[in-house]
Amino acid sequence: MSKTLTIQPITRIEGHGRVVLQLDDAGNVDDARFHVFALRGFEKFCEGRPVEEMPRIVNRICGICPWNHHLASVKATDGVFGVTPPPTAVKLRRLVQMLSWIPDKLLHFYFLAAPDFVLGPDCDPATRNVVGIALANPDLAKKVVHMRQDGAMVLEEWLGKTIHPIPAVPGGFSRPLLEEERKNFLERTKAQLEFAKFTIKFAKEEVFPKYLDTVKVLGVFNSGFIGTVTADGTHEIYDGKLRLMKPDGTYDDFSYDEYTDHLGEMIFPWTYVKMPFAKKWSNGEFSMDLESPKGIYRSNSLARINVCERMSTPEAQKELEHFRSQFGRPAQLTLLYHWARLIELVNCCERAIELLEDPEITGRDLRAKVEIKAGHGVGCVEAPRGTLIHDYTGDAQGLITKVNMIVGTTHNSAPINMSVKQAAKAVIQNGKYDQGVLNRIEMAVRAYDP
């Protein structure tokens, strides 16, 4: 007799979701879906609001990556008003983005992903969590908590808030970085870099090698990838051009305001999340068929690591070269998202140090004059969970008339469904499953950090 299995809630992810599995009469997986039930409709709330309010509103969309929504929004607002921020303001925006990514990366690796790898996917769920990690290695746990808290506190001490930030304004940045603050933050960020280097070394030596067999099979399928790069193809997260790579490694580069020429968006009645796809690859066709996918690409850390030619900093570049020597380019194994995330952790620490050592970072020319007018702007940054696009149109009174957003995780909606289905087919056969088997399906979701 056929049967429905529901995994709800999926634990140790940023948002909310459930997995529903359909088993056939033989107890094998016939279909699998990842359901998202968060409200889709934020764009509609924004219509009629003053354009300048957008960077202060959209940081409520996500409590985990509000800085990235704030920055994508202020870039779109700059575009609507046709204003270019001063160089120091752009550097301060870049700095806050780098500083916000550091505790985010630590959160995912140690709090959300590590219990599966350090304690094992079959461990009792009651202890397969961050508390279990703390009991297994209390000294490391104390260090992790301290480093993550200190990373967050740098932003709060400087700008008053760790979440729901408001320092970036149309045309610039609202508060300078004082010299005393710069010196203080520089020393603390150097400590973050040393911990980042320890973390990736620990993961490569103590964590990933034990599970390479699982990495090679769980949630695996071939897809394309999207991410931001500089003009010469270097890894970038604040500003550059979008690179959309096909599964064979060929790619198209395009500017942010050309995204609608390359990406389409699908909706389905069984989930609230929309599903972007590469419409130019398939003449507008979309399919999540594991044997014959159409228009499927992925975002987030593994995608950025795949699309770039190189990292922008020396230690991260060494890690990228080692990664590619092991897995090639593009790397398709889904659980490698965790490894790619740590390469980016090292890069963020190095970039933050570079910015804090830049003499211009304490400059006082922070704002360009802004005049209200009708216009259109597309702001894009890389959020930890993927390419984040804010697309605004404003009228002559400075009011929003149209908004479209593609949030980082949204790019991975279809890929998560496909990884869940592939993983479920691999681990559930003839109706046999237990909590460890179901947790392996959750691991395929957690890799995307949705």
Side-chain angles (χ1 to χ4, degrees), residues 212-223:
L212 278 183
D213 288 343
T214 301
V215 169
K216 291 175 182 176
V217 297
L218 193 71
V220 175
F221 69 98
N222 285 347
S223 75

Side-chain angles (χ1 to χ4, degrees), residues 167-370:
V169 294
F173 205 79
S174 62
R175 187 190 187 285
L177 178 67
L178 304 179
E179 177 60 18
E180 308 85 69
E181 294 169 328
R182 186 196 69 80
K183 291 178 180 177
N184 180 301
F185 299 162
L186 178 59
E187 292 307 308
R188 292 158 71 179
T189 307
K190 287 180 177 177
Q192 295 282 0
L193 174 59
E194 292 307 309
F195 189 64
K197 290 159 63 176
F198 160 80
T199 297
I200 195 167
K201 184 173 184 291
F202 169 72
K204 289 192 301 184
E205 295 180 355
E206 305 293 334
V207 179
F208 296 144
K210 300 176 184 175
Y211 295 97
L212 278 183
D213 288 343
T214 301
V215 169
K216 291 175 182 176
V217 297
L218 193 71
V220 175
F221 69 98
N222 285 347
S223 75
F225 297 95
I226 194 170
T228 300
V229 294
T230 64
D232 68 354
T234 302
H235 179 277
E236 170 62 38
I237 64 172
Y238 177 75
D239 199 45
K241 59 184 178 182
L242 289 175
R243 174 166 290 178
L244 187 59
M245 176 178 279
K246 291 182 178 178
D248 64 6
T250 60
Y251 56 79
D252 291 317
D253 291 348
F254 52 93
S255 62
Y256 298 145
D257 58 5
E258 295 176 311
Y259 80 95
T260 55
D261 295 334
H262 296 262
L263 307 181
E265 300 176 35
M266 299 289 292
I267 57 172
F268 294 93
W270 47 269
T271 182
Y272 283 115
V273 70
K274 60 185 179 181
M275 299 191 185
F277 67 106
K279 66 181 183 183
K280 287 189 71 173
W281 293 352
S282 55
N283 294 320
E285 293 187 52
F286 170 85
S287 174
M288 293 188 287
D289 185 341
L290 285 168
E291 302 303 321
S292 183
K294 293 181 179 178
I296 303 299
Y297 68 89
R298 294 188 267 187
S299 66
N300 199 319
S301 56
L302 182 62
R304 291 186 289 263
I305 291 299
N306 276 330
V307 302
C308 76
E309 303 298 329
R310 66 192 69 81
M311 302 301 292
S312 60
T313 54
E315 294 296 330
Q317 175 62 20
K318 290 179 187 174
E319 297 296 341
L320 177 66
E321 291 171 4
H322 176 68
F323 180 87
R324 286 190 172 159
S325 72
Q326 301 295 305
F327 306 107
R329 179 193 183 199
Q332 293 283 0
L333 306 180
T334 299
L335 295 189
L336 290 180
Y337 269 99
H338 300 300
W339 196 322
R341 211 164 269 127
L342 297 182
I343 298 174
E344 289 193 321
L345 169 63
V346 174
N347 178 249
C348 286
C349 293
E350 290 183 289
R351 282 291 292 126
I353 290 171
E354 288 179 354
L355 287 162
L356 286 165
E357 291 177 336
D358 185 333
E360 200 173 30
I361 200 70
T362 51
R364 298 302 178 95
D365 181 14
L366 300 182
R367 299 186 70 171
K369 184 178 180 181
V370 176

Side-chain angles (χ1 to χ4, degrees), residues 34-145:
F34 173 68
H35 296 257
V36 173
F37 25 89
L39 173 69
R40 184 185 69 226
F42 207 93
E43 291 102 327
K44 211 63 183 170
F45 296 160
C46 299
E47 292 178 5
R49 309 288 302 187
V51 176
E52 67 182 67
E53 288 187 358
M54 292 297 287
R56 302 195 297 272
I57 296 174
V58 298
N59 56 22
R60 262 66 179 177
I61 290 176
C62 176
I64 300 297
C65 49
W67 288 91
N68 301 284
H69 277 288
H70 181 57
L71 294 173
S73 178
V74 81
K75 288 176 67 179
T77 304
D78 290 343
V80 171
F81 295 142
V83 62
T84 301
T88 296
V90 173
K91 291 181 179 180
L92 291 174
R93 291 180 181 182
R94 287 181 179 274
L95 178 60
V96 296
Q97 188 184 24
M98 297 296 170
L99 292 174
S100 72
W101 275 45
I102 295 170
D104 186 288
K105 299 287 187 184
L106 294 176
L107 167 70
H108 184 268
F109 180 71
Y110 285 107
F111 288 68
L112 306 182
D116 291 323
F117 298 99
V118 174
L119 302 173
D122 296 308
C123 178
D124 182 350
T127 56
R128 194 179 57 225
N129 49 48
V130 67
V131 176
I133 293 285
L135 293 172
N137 195 333
D139 292 337
L140 176 59
K142 289 178 184 176
K143 185 73 171 176
V144 170
V145 171

